[in-house]
């Protein structure tokens, strides 16, 4: 019997966030995929693209979510709350699947109905409650209200494994729980890999700077990172603001990022500093580098060693005579 693992393709305001990620601030538009849309109940579609909620520990807030069917046939959806996180690949905004354990806003969101059928070219609005536990940590707890299509689309599979695909659209929930807010950011595990021609000047050298950007605080940050490379005697070799960053780094999340450096030095010694900034936060990470032309250096060492050996042999022969 063939087993059918199901893959959830989760769509958000940016489209397929688990596939495409989020590199810039999302547009103010309802979350949709062309067939259905999910958005906060409002006078018109897209006028309130996200839920912005604030609550104290132990309190309950209520709101309404609208699911709009843009097709010519009825669609049935499962409604549930989900925690949000940053994807490992590029830091895009993504949310947990229904099968995953929810520990934050996703566990606190309870739709009045967990299943809804939306007629063709129509919309259904469903109330939901968000109950914050009395012991909830203060700060931001991002999540989403998700409408999961119950249909399973057929996908490609290899061998005895058939692949099923379920799609979902999520309306983001930005929840702040009352209490002290502590912004904190760190740049960790900075590494450098270098690719240089064997003979200096015969090709272009390249380097890849890798680093981990971690949000250690309890509020969402909009980070910026500047890279500066210095060589011998403090010479500035490279200085640039990095643009391949997530639009928002969620609390307690970390992402691994890389930056290409074309034309890195072929003969130098220095260090690279990455400085991350956000509101009220500034932290740096550093890695040193040594660029040497290994082939000419090895040839020089081998030649010098051979010369020393030859000199000793000549002296030994001279003493023997």
């Amino acid at each position: 019997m063939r087993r059918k693992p199901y893959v959830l393709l989760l769509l958000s305001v940016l489209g397929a966030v688990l596939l495409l990620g989020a590199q810039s601030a999302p547009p103010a538009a309802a979350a949709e995929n062309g067939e259905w849309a999910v958005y906060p109940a409002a006078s018109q579609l897209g006028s309130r693209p996200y839920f912005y909620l604030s609550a104290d520990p132990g309190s309950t807030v209520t709101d309404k979510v609208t699911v709009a069917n843009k097709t010519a046939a009825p669609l049935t959806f499962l409604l549930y709350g989900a925690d949000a996180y940053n994807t490992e690949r590029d830091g895009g905004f993504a949310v947990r699947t229904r099968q995953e354990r929810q520990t934050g806003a996703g566990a606190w969101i309870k739709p009045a109905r967990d299943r809804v059928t939306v007629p063709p070219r129509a919309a259904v609005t469903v109330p939901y409650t968000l109950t914050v536990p009395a012991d909830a940590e203060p700060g931001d707890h991002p999540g989403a209200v998700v409408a999961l299509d119950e249909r399973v689309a057929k996908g490609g599979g290899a061998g005895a494994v058939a692949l099923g695909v379920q799609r979902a659209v999520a309306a983001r929930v930005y929840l702040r729980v009352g209490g002290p807010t502590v912004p904190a950011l760190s740049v960790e595990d900075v590494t450098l890999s270098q690719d240089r021609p064997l003979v200096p000047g015969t090709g272009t050298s390249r380097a890849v700077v890798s680093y981990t950007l971690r949000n250690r605080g309890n509020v969402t940050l909009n980070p910026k990172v500047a890279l500066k490379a210095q060589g011998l005697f403090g010479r500035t070799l490279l200085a640039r603001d990095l643009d391949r960053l997530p639009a928002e780094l969620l609390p307690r999340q970390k992402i691994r990022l890389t930056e290409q450096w074309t034309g890195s030095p072929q003969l130098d010694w220095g260090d690279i500093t990455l400085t991350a900034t956000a509101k009220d936060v500034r932290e740096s990470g550093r890695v040193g580098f040594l660029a040497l032309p290994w082939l000419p250096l090895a040839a020089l060492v081998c030649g010098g060693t051979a010369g020393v050996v030859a000199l000793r042999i000549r002296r030994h022969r001279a003493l023997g005579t």
Side-chain angles (χ1 to χ4, degrees), residues 2-9 97 99 148 150-155 161-167:
R2 293 185 177 182
R3 299 185 63 186
K4 297 183 178 180
Y6 296 123
V7 177
L8 175 62
L9 301 185
T97 65
Q99 291 74 25
L148 171 66
E150 289 195 298
R151 298 172 298 175
V152 178
K154 294 181 179 180
V161 179
L163 183 65
V165 176
Q166 282 188 294
R167 295 183 299 161

Side-chain angles (χ1 to χ4, degrees), residues 173-197:
V173 176
Y174 290 96
L175 168 68
R176 173 159 292 187
V177 175
T181 57
V182 182
L185 185 66
S186 63
V187 180
E188 305 171 355
D189 191 22
V190 183
T191 62
L192 178 71
S193 62
Q194 303 179 71
D195 181 15
R196 301 187 302 274

Side-chain angles (χ1 to χ4, degrees), residues 20-38:
L20 303 180
Q23 293 290 333
S24 58
E32 65 168 289
N33 65 355
E35 296 184 25
W36 71 92
V38 184

Side-chain angles (χ1 to χ4, degrees), residues 50-106:
Y50 315 124
F51 292 101
Y52 292 97
L53 306 175
S54 60
D56 292 325
S59 64
T60 298
V61 295
T62 60
D63 212 316
K64 297 178 181 180
V65 63
T66 298
V67 182
N69 180 0
K70 307 177 80 172
T71 72
L75 295 176
T76 299
F77 304 97
L78 293 176
L79 295 181
Y80 69 94
D83 295 336
Y85 66 97
N86 290 105
T87 60
E88 292 182 2
R89 188 185 69 176
D90 58 8
F93 186 103
V95 301
R96 305 293 178 192
T97 65
R98 191 165 179 260
Q99 291 74 25
E100 293 180 277
R101 180 170 174 261
Q102 314 293 342
T103 60

Side-chain angles (χ1 to χ4, degrees), residues 64-310:
K64 297 178 181 180
V65 63
T66 298
V67 182
N69 180 0
K70 307 177 80 172
T71 72
L75 295 176
T76 299
F77 304 97
L78 293 176
L79 295 181
Y80 69 94
D83 295 336
Y85 66 97
N86 290 105
T87 60
E88 292 182 2
R89 188 185 69 176
D90 58 8
F93 186 103
V95 301
R96 305 293 178 192
T97 65
R98 191 165 179 260
Q99 291 74 25
E100 293 180 277
R101 180 170 174 261
Q102 314 293 342
T103 60
W108 308 337
I109 294 171
K110 303 296 180 185
R113 299 157 58 185
D114 60 6
R115 179 177 278 101
V116 58
T117 298
V118 185
R121 315 291 184 190
V124 173
T125 297
V126 178
Y128 73 87
T129 59
L130 191 156
T131 302
V132 182
D135 60 351
E137 295 182 3
D140 293 339
H141 295 266
V145 180
V146 183
L148 171 66
D149 188 356
E150 289 195 298
R151 298 172 298 175
V152 178
K154 294 181 179 180
V161 179
L163 183 65
V165 176
Q166 282 188 294
R167 295 183 299 161
V169 173
R172 300 186 187 190
V173 176
Y174 290 96
L175 168 68
R176 173 159 292 187
V177 175
T181 57
V182 182
L185 185 66
S186 63
V187 180
E188 305 171 355
D189 191 22
V190 183
T191 62
L192 178 71
S193 62
Q194 303 179 71
D195 181 15
R196 301 187 302 274
L198 293 176
V199 179
T202 61
T204 301
S205 57
R206 294 177 177 83
V208 177
V209 183
S210 302
Y211 63 101
T212 296
L213 194 61
R214 184 193 296 265
N215 184 344
R216 293 186 171 275
N218 64 357
V219 293
T220 299
L221 299 175
N222 306 109
K224 296 181 180 179
V225 178
L227 183 154
K228 185 174 184 179
Q230 292 181 300
L232 282 171
F233 312 114
R235 295 164 25 253
T236 298
L237 306 175
L238 178 69
R240 70 167 65 143
D241 294 328
L242 308 188
D243 54 8
R244 299 184 61 185
L245 299 171
E248 50 192 0
L249 187 58
L250 306 180
R252 297 167 292 279
Q253 295 289 300
K254 65 177 181 178
I255 55 175
R256 188 72 178 165
L257 300 169
T258 60
E259 182 69 16
Q260 302 283 339
W261 181 8
T262 301
S264 56
Q266 300 182 16
L267 177 60
D268 213 326
W269 181 22
D271 56 56
I272 295 173
T273 303
L274 292 163
T275 302
T277 57
K279 185 178 180 181
D280 302 323
V281 180
R282 182 184 179 90
E283 295 292 339
S284 296
R286 180 175 299 178
V287 64
F289 70 88
L290 176 64
L292 290 175
W294 296 111
L295 184 59
L297 183 62
L300 181 62
V301 170
C302 290
T305 303
V308 171
V309 171

